[in-house]
Amino acid sequence: MSLAFSQNLPDGWEAVIAPLTEISSVQSEAPGDFTAAIFTSRSGVAFAPDGAGRTAWCVGPGTAQEASAKGYDTRVGSGTAKDLLELIRETAPKTYLYIHFRGKEVRERIVPSLQDAGFLAEERIVYEAKELPLSAEAQEALASNALNAITSFSPGGATLLAKAQTPSWTLESTTLVAISTAAAKPLEQVPFAQIAIADRPTAAGMLRAIARIDQNGLPRVQV
């Protein structure tokens, strides 16, 4: 995700790639003969079975792109699990068997809500995110006021970044660019110059927010 996002940065921007988690697969029960998939992350797509023409309900355009490449016929939400849940409730057939392929930690449990609404739905935990230390390059950039922006794509990632903060960080010129208010909240006490929230909770929305930042010197962003 970080590498793909960095390749689409506005002209002139340089990325410091500093992942705070490592994604790995988790052994789970085989899904059997399901009709449709639910994906709230690209990692869920990566560790799910091939689509073979099945329908996939995807949280946003980036996840849908990955699912389409894996053989799914996609339906696309507006960028949040809550909105995706409402889309499924309002437009999806209740005769399908849905499986949500997800990670160990999620903010929104979609399947129980669908079951309460009369849908046939199950979930499979297919991956987990293991914490990584902040890279030496990122620590150096944070300590030298060398970043114009830092991105936050999730509340979990924001929590890890807040945990990694040290007194050496110098952020007078750094904007926090968050995909949502929830992804900014764990970093509210970190002394950023400003906080910018994407106009849509998607990668494209994040890129637009970065493009609006007033660039002073070399525009660098940590992703």
Side-chain angles (χ1 to χ4, degrees):
M1 171 68 174
S2 295
L3 180 59
F5 182 81
S6 69
Q7 291 171 343
N8 291 299
L9 287 169
D11 289 344
W13 281 84
E14 173 189 329
V16 176
I17 298 176
L20 290 168
T21 58
E22 181 180 54
I23 304 299
S24 60
S25 63
V26 171
Q27 283 292 109
S28 64
E29 181 185 350
D33 189 18
F34 65 101
T35 318
I38 299 171
F39 295 123
T40 49
S41 69
R42 297 184 189 212
S43 296
V45 178
F47 295 107
D50 288 343
R54 298 182 184 94
T55 303
W57 299 80
C58 303
V59 68
T63 302
Q65 185 177 9
E66 299 286 334
S68 180
K70 202 162 182 176
Y72 287 92
D73 180 18
T74 58
R75 308 289 184 270
V76 188
S78 59
T80 69
K82 183 178 179 180
D83 289 343
L84 179 62
L85 176 58
E86 289 306 309
L87 179 66
I88 296 171
R89 281 173 171 164
E90 293 172 4
T91 63
K94 288 188 175 181
T95 53
Y96 285 7
L97 171 59
Y98 298 84
I99 294 187
H100 181 197
F101 296 95
R102 67 174 184 86
K104 274 190 173 181
E105 304 293 333
V106 291
R107 295 187 69 240
E108 181 106 20
R109 292 281 304 280
I110 286 182
V111 165
S113 297
L114 288 178
Q115 290 172 339
D116 290 344
F119 286 83
L120 298 171
E122 302 175 3
E123 57 187 5
R124 296 290 187 275
I125 297 172
V126 294
Y127 71 92
E128 63 181 341
K130 297 180 180 178
E131 186 175 346
L132 294 175
L134 199 59
S135 69
E137 181 186 13
Q139 289 283 17
E140 181 181 349
L142 287 161
S144 57
N145 200 29
L147 293 172
N148 290 83
I150 291 177
T151 58
S152 175
F153 284 91
S154 70
T159 299
L160 292 178
L161 184 60
K163 180 180 174 182
Q165 183 189 7
T166 72
S168 68
W169 287 15
T170 309
L171 304 170
E172 289 89 347
S173 302
T174 305
T175 298
L176 172 65
V177 181
I179 199 166
S180 66
T181 54
K185 190 170 181 59
L187 294 161
E188 286 178 342
Q189 302 306 312
V190 178
F192 291 103
Q194 61 179 338
I195 296 175
I197 307 297
D199 54 20
R200 298 292 296 168
T202 62
M206 291 286 280
L207 290 169
R208 287 192 294 271
I210 291 170
R212 289 193 292 268
I213 295 172
D214 183 23
Q215 300 174 7
N216 296 311
L218 177 64
R220 302 180 78 201
V221 57
Q222 178 178 310
V223 299

